[in-house]
Amino acid sequence: MIIKVSNFYYLIAGIFAVLFAVTHAWNGQSAVLPELQVGAGTRTVFMYVWHIITAENLVFGVMFIWMSFQSDRSKVRFAAWMIVSLLSVRLMVILGVTAFQDASSLMDTLIDSVAIVIYVAFIILGIRMKPKKAGRSEATF
């Protein structure tokens, strides 16, 4: 069986998103959620909100991996732009809320911010990728 990757940028973005989902869930369960000093109801809300982002990352990853195999890029371009928009808003919320609550902790968001920027850059590179010219082969597995 031959599988052709039409867009390596989407494939890389998809792999990143799946890895981000795993690390987000792991970090939440092992480091963030156990440290919450709040009531049970608030802890539950925080936990499901945390894992909504984990689930989003996983869905984005699966979709970008699937999109990387699509030869007609025009059919997946809108979805890619929508995800770029969501990730950009996510970054603005992270930075905005952090700056508003405690500007001195903005450096604590550096790793997450850089990861989102790199992730978005790969998606935009995939969106801007030109169609293959006749005679050029795509990568196969």
Side-chain angles (χ1 to χ4, degrees), residues 61-113:
V62 169
M63 290 311 301
F64 273 113
I65 291 169
W66 176 79
M67 289 164 52
S68 74
F69 298 109
Q70 304 307 305
S71 58
D72 186 356
R73 293 190 188 109
S74 65
K75 292 184 178 182
V76 296
R77 188 170 285 133
F78 178 77
W81 276 119
M82 181 64 68
I83 294 170
V84 164
S85 300
L86 290 168
L87 292 169
S88 299
V89 169
R90 184 186 291 180
L91 181 58
M92 287 187 288
V93 168
I94 290 168
L95 296 175
V97 169
T98 303
F100 183 73
Q101 293 295 317
D102 181 13
S104 65
S105 65
L106 273 170
M107 283 304 293
D108 295 341
T109 68
L110 184 64
I111 292 172
D112 293 334
S113 299

